[in-house]
Amino acid sequence: MKRRGFLQAAPLALMLPGLAQAQSYPNHLIRHIIPVPAGGGNDMIARVVAERWGSLLGQPFVVENQNSGGGVVARMTTARAAPDG
């Protein structure tokens, strides 16, 4: 095998174990935390995107609106979330 062919195939070979796990991920409810009030334009976009992601991944998405503190509360909730993926 030529060196160039090996260098092109090496990254793919390193990704193969991760691809096997990616088929089963995620396997639980996914929280989508947004820092805007419910009913606004950004909220509607977030819900449409979450619905699309849910259909593509086959997992339920929950959109949580946390609009106080200029987005600080949403950031803190995200930072304190369980590191599950």
Side-chain angles (χ1 to χ4, degrees):
M1 177 182 280
K2 293 184 179 180
R3 182 174 184 232
R4 182 175 296 232
F6 176 76
L7 291 175
Q8 290 174 345
L12 180 62
L14 293 173
M15 287 180 6
L16 287 177
L19 291 175
Q21 283 184 335
Q23 292 176 354
S24 65
Y25 177 82
N27 55 2
H28 56 82
L29 180 80
I30 300 170
R31 291 172 50 199
H32 186 134
I33 301 169
I34 56 173
V36 296
N42 290 335
D43 177 51
M44 290 182 205
I45 291 172
R47 291 181 188 279
V48 168
V49 168
E51 182 181 342
R52 178 73 54 95
W53 284 344
S55 65
L56 289 174
L57 294 174
Q59 298 298 325
F61 270 73
V62 174
V63 176
E64 292 185 15
N65 299 85
Q66 297 188 351
N67 61 331
S68 58
V72 174
V73 174
R75 286 187 217 118
M76 293 302 292
T77 303
T78 303
R80 291 181 184 140
D84 56 358

